[in-house]
Amino acid sequence: MILFRRSADIRAHLQQFDAEGKKTGFVPTMGALHAGHISLIEQSRATNDITVASIFVNPTQFNDPKDYAAYPVTIPDDLLQLGNAGCDIVFLPEVNEIYPGGTAPSTRYAIGDMEYLLEGEYRPGHFQGVCQVVHRLLDIIQPDQLIMGRKDYQQCMVVAALIHALGLQVQLITAPTRREASGLAMSSRNRRLSSAQKEAATVLSKALQQIRQQLQPGPTGLLIQQAVHAIRAAGFESVDYVSIADAHNLQPVADWDGQQPLVALVAASIGGVRLIDNLPLSE
Ligand code: PAF
């Protein structure tokens, strides 16, 4: 595995594969890797000649500076995991390499309502920051495929909108959420939980499963109330949202016709750690 810190160097290196017609898959990460990330590397390797991963904790997507400061950084372990997974190239830039002109955005990305819904409502500016870094990384890596995890369901939709808005040639591949045996969705943020909090956090996936099992055509409000109640009862100090939403545009669905494809999404905090999860309700 080869490690690059400078964008010009990795671009020059990747150029040779482009010239040879080799297919490149790209897995962007913020490090603190777990089996979910590794499954994205495996997904990339299955359909590409070269797999590139980036590790960059992007300051512009954190609306809360404390959250940015607390984000786990585990570079040596990350590199070990990527090497073992057969990743070919790692990009590990500093902030000024990604944002040579400073972190202030120079573009406003047209991603529609997605920007203000759910995560967008509770993390103002978050998705503009995600677009800013993904745009920059895509410009540097120029992959054939971009592989992202569906745990960040809304992020996948935002990146699809970004690719469309910019007319980029890259193909977005989304991979299923990896879960612990307890059902807890794997997340870098889980490292900040005590074992008791980790146990309590299994309520998120259970609440989503409950919604899926009990969903009937008609009003969805009661299912949402029950989920919020269960999450609070498990010890979460705040529940930003539980939403039963249209799977294609994330608009809340208050009254289900029994046909519309749905997804249930949740964001809640325990011990100051904000977790998200989601579950498609009709597959
Ligand atoms: O999902 C993440 O880890 C980040 O949002 C991403 C896509 C690497 C951009 O910083």
Side-chain angles (χ1 to χ4, degrees):
M1 188 170 74
I2 312 177
L3 188 152
F4 291 94
R5 292 180 186 274
R6 299 205 166 271
S7 45
D9 295 343
I10 191 167
R11 177 86 298 276
H13 185 78
L14 288 169
Q15 206 99 43
Q16 80 190 37
F17 300 119
D18 297 345
E20 288 166 14
K22 291 205 166 132
K23 223 176 136 187
T24 306
F26 175 46
V27 180
T29 83
M30 297 208 298
L33 302 185
H34 49 70
H37 294 111
I38 298 309
S39 73
L40 303 181
I41 299 291
E42 284 161 3
Q43 172 97 39
S44 171
R45 292 189 68 212
T47 46
N48 292 283
D49 302 304
I50 307 291
T51 291
V52 181
S54 63
I55 302 174
F56 178 66
V57 186
N58 173 35
T60 70
Q61 70 187 74
F62 286 84
N63 53 312
D64 176 358
K66 280 191 266 153
D67 192 26
Y68 177 55
Y71 204 84
V73 176
T74 59
I75 305 290
D77 181 60
D78 294 345
L79 295 177
L80 201 67
Q81 289 193 57
L82 290 173
N84 289 342
C87 179
D88 301 294
I89 296 171
V90 184
F91 185 39
L92 184 59
E94 296 290 339
V95 173
N96 59 7
E97 191 62 32
I98 292 295
Y99 301 120
T103 53
S106 55
T107 310
R108 185 152 185 87
Y109 295 96
I111 49 175
D113 285 352
M114 209 58 64
E115 183 166 355
Y116 305 107
L117 288 166
L118 303 172
E119 287 302 283
E121 180 182 347
Y122 287 90
R123 302 185 68 189
H126 168 65
F127 285 128
Q128 286 295 324
V130 168
C131 288
Q132 188 186 11
V133 76
V134 170
H135 186 192
R136 172 79 173 123
L137 289 168
L138 289 177
D139 214 33
I140 297 168
I141 309 297
Q142 298 178 23
D144 298 282
Q145 289 189 344
L146 171 65
I147 300 103
M148 302 184 79
R150 292 205 282 271
K151 152 121 183 326
D152 295 295
Y153 189 97
Q154 190 174 5
Q155 174 171 269
C156 290
M157 293 182 76
V158 164
V159 170
L162 172 78
I163 290 170
H164 180 76
L166 298 179
L168 303 176
Q169 288 309 308
V170 64
Q171 181 188 15
L172 176 64
I173 307 287
T174 67
T177 303
R178 291 291 295 262
R179 296 182 181 279
E180 309 280 358
S182 65
L184 178 65
M186 289 186 185
S187 164
S188 303
R189 291 171 195 269
N190 293 350
R191 291 173 188 251
R192 292 173 53 205
L193 300 175
S194 68
S195 47
Q197 288 165 341
K198 236 178 154 182
E199 174 58 34
T202 61
V203 72
L204 298 182
S205 60
K206 287 180 187 140
L208 295 173
Q209 288 288 356
Q210 184 92 345
I211 290 175
R212 180 148 81 177
Q213 279 155 18
Q214 296 188 350
L215 182 73
Q216 301 275 352
T220 58
L222 189 59
L223 289 179
I224 293 176
Q225 275 175 30
Q226 285 169 349
V228 170
H229 180 78
I231 294 165
R232 282 196 174 279
F236 276 73
E237 64 261 12
S238 62
V239 181
D240 285 351
Y241 58 81
V242 172
S243 178
I244 297 177
D246 183 298
H248 299 310
N249 61 26
L250 295 188
Q251 294 291 343
V253 174
D255 206 333
W256 187 45
D257 62 6
Q259 301 292 321
Q260 193 176 7
L262 297 179
V263 58
L265 307 103
V266 60
S269 298
I270 184 163
V273 182
R274 189 172 181 279
L275 303 175
I276 59 171
D277 198 357
N278 68 79
L279 191 67
L281 299 179
S282 33
E283 276 175 312

